[in-house]
Amino acid sequence: MKFATPAGENPIDRLSVVGRPVPRIDGPRKVTGTARYAYERHDAVSNPAYGWIVGASIGRGRVVSIDTAAAQAAPGVLAVLSTLDFAPLAPGFRTTVHLFGGAQVQHYGQAIALVVADTFEEASAAAHLLTVEYEVAPGRYDLAAEAATAEPVADRDAPDYPVVDRIGDFEAAFAAAPVTVDQHYTTPDQTHAMMEPHATTAAWRDGKVTIWTSAQIVAWHRPDLAKWLGVTEGDVRLEAPFIGGGFGAKLIAQCDAPLAALGARAVGRPVKVTLQRPLVINNTTRRAGTHQHIRLGATRDGRLTAIGHVSLNGNLPGAFAEAAIAPTRLFYAAPNRYLTMKLAALDLAEGNDMRAPGEAPGLMALEIAMDELAEKLGMDPVALRIVNDTQVDPREPDRPFSERHFVECLRTGAERFGWDRRNPTPGAQSDGKWLIGMGMAGGFRLNLLLPSAARVRLEVDGGLTVETDMTDIGTGSYTILAQTAAEMMGVPLAAVTVRLGDSAYPVSAGSGGQFGANNATSGLYAACVKLREAVAARLGIDAADAEFRDGRVLSGDRSVALAEAVREGPLVAEDGITYGDLDEQFVQATFAAQFAEVAVDGFTGEMRVRRMLAVIDSGRVINPTTARSQVIGGMTMGVGAALMETLAVDVRHGTFITNDLGFYEVPVHGDIPHQEVVFLDYPDNKSSPMKAKGIGEIGLCGVAAAIANAVYNATGVRVRDYPITLDKHL
Ligand code: MOS
């Protein structure tokens, strides 16, 4: 089904199941341990062997030799796969690294061997018996040191934008502006820190392989795995029914998947492989740190006349830039712009997608700059953002937003948060030894439209079965898909069975870029429209007039039990959603107003977040419970980004030294106060038949800057270098 905009009234609008706070239908399986994750498929394979991956212990160079004799002779060892015995696996989708094979070492921690043994402990012990000889080459590990070599680079996800994006005359407008901000901001490298590490179980049978792996997007993994294993896609069955978090780390296959499959082929037994946490951090991808230069020029009444945003970051040769300028393109009106990204070559593990890639770090800088501008103007930061709202793409004024209620987010947030109680003078509020501050920021994140398909079957017992390769990475996909099918077919939620994450099912958008919920439910909507037509045809009813509710099909004065349609056997329908050039006609985006109150110990500098509020404009909310969980998860990530998270680079060796969850600090419950989330919940009839939009990442966008601005309001010390640790403002 091609989505026709604007969406008219449709069965989802009834909102008898959709839009309700339904608890997760997969919850009981998760809390009873019966939801099997990739490393736990004891139910599916018998007698698995265990693989242990060895990562390169140099940052750049060549493997000259690997002496495997001692490891081969160690107890329990079945095989040792050396990178020197394999041709390099060609880089997969959206990446530039080879995961295994060949002598070249592109970055520290790159896989150079797999030891397979009867037990995990034997594999681990034997791995330490390998003797590896390297030829070390000089590496580039320090972004600041390489800054001078950086070159302007295109945004891989927005290739239509000029590399150097100029509108009007930025320099002249900035020079003429009566009020300006000209500042530099830095964000560190970060790691995803999802709970479940990358993990795979692989088993071969008759030349075909089944791979149970922790994948966000099944259809992004499967072609690469087929290529690396030298088999057809049809010979690879990929299953990912449960995933313990992804945050971008599992969008594309990492080395656990091909190595488990290669190991299983070598030993003729199923093999399980997981990455130890230090390898997750050093072997897989990171979010690349940024140095951002922002220049804002405004009239005295706060209208932006010039926006300059230059973002520098570093990545492997040929890899991509973190698109920190992405939100700046579309967030605020300003006639003169100069936006560009520069990329330096670094020999660190690849920078790639992580948690609102582009927008999250971009807004960490832009939204402090807006706070600084408001202060210089003597203007309220909420009012400054309202004045600069735009309802059209500033570059293409004929291209409106599908819906944009950012101003209402700001107004609602200010009222709900008690923003009028904020003292605009920094360092002027205290509570005993604590300095108190309030801050706010805007949040912006694109709503991406991707094709997504599903199959739905009406069973003879009246049950509905949904099948799609969509994944549930902890987000609630199972639940919202069940709600969608129940609403469309007029059956109770309990009648719906949802099966996900299997390459045997129709290809969905998958879980990434906050595009999963809206697109996957829309694909299922399309399949259900087809199923309704099939039901109506069997019953001799005109589908266009039929209403499906309470297990019945109603048309005129006829009322027939849905079960009548499947007396002779089940009915199956499969379809998907496509959008044509809809995102070219309308800017598809989501919005947030983020508010935070912090307390800073006046003696020690310790910071506590006391209150947080997010007001979210992301179209229709399919399930307020799971949507809220997405948003508070994002807000929690924002606390981490503001105050804690640093993937610290040892610039001598190219290693990440904060390489476990002890050293790589993320917020724990004690760090997180009451979080309030308000959804504006305006259906967007130009986004999809669900009238929903993305929700998975907007909750993070703007949060770190809101906290940074609150810390400034508390202390009067402006920190422009994340994370804001106490040493930076004492
Ligand atoms: Mo997201 S970083 O696309 O999982």
Side-chain angles (χ1 to χ4, degrees), residues 216 247-248 251 353-357 512-513 697:
Q216 289 177 232
F247 309 156
L251 285 169
D353 297 303
M354 179 180 135
R355 310 186 205 153
E697 296 177 329

Side-chain angles (χ1 to χ4, degrees), residues 274-473:
T274 188
L275 297 183
Q276 317 86 284
R277 188 65 64 176
L279 266 190
V280 171
I281 289 172
N282 272 293
N283 172 280
T284 72
T285 61
R286 69 189 156 114
R287 189 209 295 281
T290 64
H291 294 187
Q292 300 181 52
H293 181 201
I294 295 191
R295 284 175 288 172
L296 303 176
T299 60
R300 293 207 184 278
D301 61 359
R303 264 165 230 286
L304 285 166
T305 52
I307 300 181
H309 191 169
V310 178
S311 177
L312 162 74
N313 73 353
N315 212 339
L316 286 167
F320 303 93
E322 174 81 23
I325 62 167
T328 315
R329 294 182 186 126
L330 293 158
F331 207 8
Y332 298 118
N336 304 287
R337 290 155 178 273
Y338 164 53
L339 312 175
T340 194
M341 298 192 290
K342 291 181 177 172
L343 188 63
L346 288 183
D347 302 296
L348 296 172
E350 188 180 59
N352 213 317
D353 297 303
M354 179 180 135
R355 310 186 205 153
E359 275 95 339
L363 291 166
M364 287 166 77
L366 178 67
E367 291 296 297
I368 295 184
M370 288 294 280
D371 201 64
E372 299 197 58
L373 181 63
E375 187 179 31
K376 281 199 166 180
L377 288 160
M379 193 169 177
D380 186 274
V382 172
L384 174 65
R385 288 167 174 88
I386 290 173
V387 163
N388 289 291
D389 186 55
T390 177
Q391 294 291 314
V392 297
D393 178 346
R395 166 170 270 283
E396 297 175 58
D398 294 337
R399 183 179 174 236
F401 284 85
S402 63
E403 293 273 338
R404 172 166 167 146
H405 303 281
F406 179 47
V407 169
E408 189 174 335
C409 290
L410 292 163
R411 292 210 164 106
T412 303
E415 192 186 316
R416 295 282 286 257
F417 200 67
W419 184 250
D420 59 349
R421 297 199 303 271
R422 170 181 179 264
N423 185 336
T425 306
Q429 293 274 101
S430 59
D431 172 6
K433 68 170 183 172
W434 298 95
L435 303 169
I436 307 298
M438 282 194 208
M440 59 79 53
F444 175 97
R445 172 74 176 141
L446 288 173
N447 173 52
L448 300 171
L449 301 178
L450 294 180
S452 192
R455 180 158 58 224
V456 59
R457 191 163 55 242
L458 183 58
E459 313 284 2
V460 288
D461 64 1
L464 267 184
T465 306
V466 173
E467 292 174 340
T468 164
D469 81 355
M470 179 61 188
T471 51
D472 189 325
I473 60 174

Side-chain angles (χ1 to χ4, degrees), residues 651-663:
V651 296
R652 299 165 304 171
H653 305 299
T655 60
F656 299 128
I657 50 181
T658 46
N659 67 1
D660 63 29
L661 295 180
F663 291 114

